[in-house]
Amino acid sequence: MSEVKKIAVLTSGGDSQGMNAALRAVVRSGLYHGLEVYGIQRGYQGLLNNEINKMDLRSVGDIIQRGGTVLQSARCPEFMKLEGQQRGAEILNQHGIDGLVVIGGDGSYQGANKLSKLGIKTMGLPGTIDNDISFTDYTIGFDTAVGVVVDAVNKLRDTMSSHARSSIVEVMGRHCGDIALHAGLASGAETILVPEVPYDMGEIADRMKENFEKGKRHSIVIVAEGVGRGEDVAHALKERHASIDARVTVLGHIQRGGAPTPFDRNLASRLGDFAVRSLIQGESDKGCGIINGELVLTDIDKVVNTKKDFDMDMYELALRLSQ
Ligand SMILES: Nc1ncnc2c1ncn2[C@@H]1O[C@H](COP(=O)(O)OP(=O)(O)OP(=O)(O)O)[C@@H](O)[C@H]1O
Ligand SMILES: O=P(O)(O)OC[C@H]1O[C@](O)(CO)[C@@H](O)[C@@H]1O
Ligand SMILES: [Mg+2]
């Protein structure tokens, strides 16, 4: 018989498309299993401000299709300190919360790990567009964000081809090149710059010039923000060859908005329900993930201390196909 009766859920860090779907799954799965479910507003900031409200079936109605998060999100510097974490644990204990589901990225997982070391039973759900969490093939929001980038590149291609220009597209991903890689392969980018792979700007500029001379009508360069600014890449290309007409587009927060794809909604729904069922079964202090289609639990301490693998095969494929 489960000892878990009251659970709470929060969304933290940068929002991501599908957080609402994950929230809906946590709340509805919790209620289905007879638990009381509480929503904490604005991530760890709301926890420290005691912004905790009971959720019911209707609190999560009509949100599966919406981007953003109805609980709102925040970055909370106070929670980086032990005193903040201790106060957070105290508040959760005062409310009698015996399971906390944290939906967020690697930083939010760090916070959840700290809480679990203070005796709070936690479950992490990977909610970030960055896809930078280990022990899951995908994070919630990544698929949608990649779609946003690909859609933008399609549009850029049209105008770049008309003018024989090079489009430098700066994408998000903090220290992880996955958005750049997946969007780059899907959009047929000629060059993909990611923090995981060293590159030679001189060689890239030479190849670009040659390709234009051979009749190529446009060139797409996807730059992960972890590498640097798109403007700097454009500057370096033009410095090497003045003939390169490089134009920069910074996609920015557009990548975090819009309706989640069916993939993200289903991933969020499966993981949200899995987190609740796992808590009921006595599991805690775990990150929930999906690997080769299977739902998996991994110690959250291990998740936060393991860097996610970069898919070099996919990167090399993108290069081979972009000749
Ligand atoms: N080392 C840490 N210890 C305790 N709490 C942390 C730690 N790192 C981050 N947090 C908490 O988690 C919050 C969110 O972290 P962060 O800003 O890194 O975003 P994230 O969850 O990685 O999401 P994303 O990268 O998608 O924006 C921080 O504002 C902070 O409150
Ligand atoms: O503007 P904000 O909210 O600080 O977020 C920017 C960061 O958040 C992320 O989008 C992840 O949510 C990173 O890729 C990016 O660096
Ligand atoms: Mg992060």
Side-chain angles (χ1 to χ4, degrees), residues 14 75 104-108 128 130 132-133 174:
R75 303 195 196 272
D106 57 336
S108 304
T128 171
D130 293 346
D132 58 352
I133 295 184
R174 216 172 273 256

Side-chain angles (χ1 to χ4, degrees), residues 129-168:
I129 65 166
D130 293 346
N131 210 35
D132 58 352
I133 295 184
S134 54
F135 300 102
T136 187
D137 290 341
Y138 299 106
T139 58
I140 299 162
F142 172 68
D143 185 63
T144 310
V146 168
V148 172
V149 176
V150 171
D151 187 44
V153 172
N154 290 343
K155 292 179 173 119
L156 286 165
R157 238 175 213 286
D158 292 343
T159 169
M160 294 298 143
S161 303
S162 307
H163 295 268
R165 283 174 174 158
S166 171
S167 184
I168 317 298

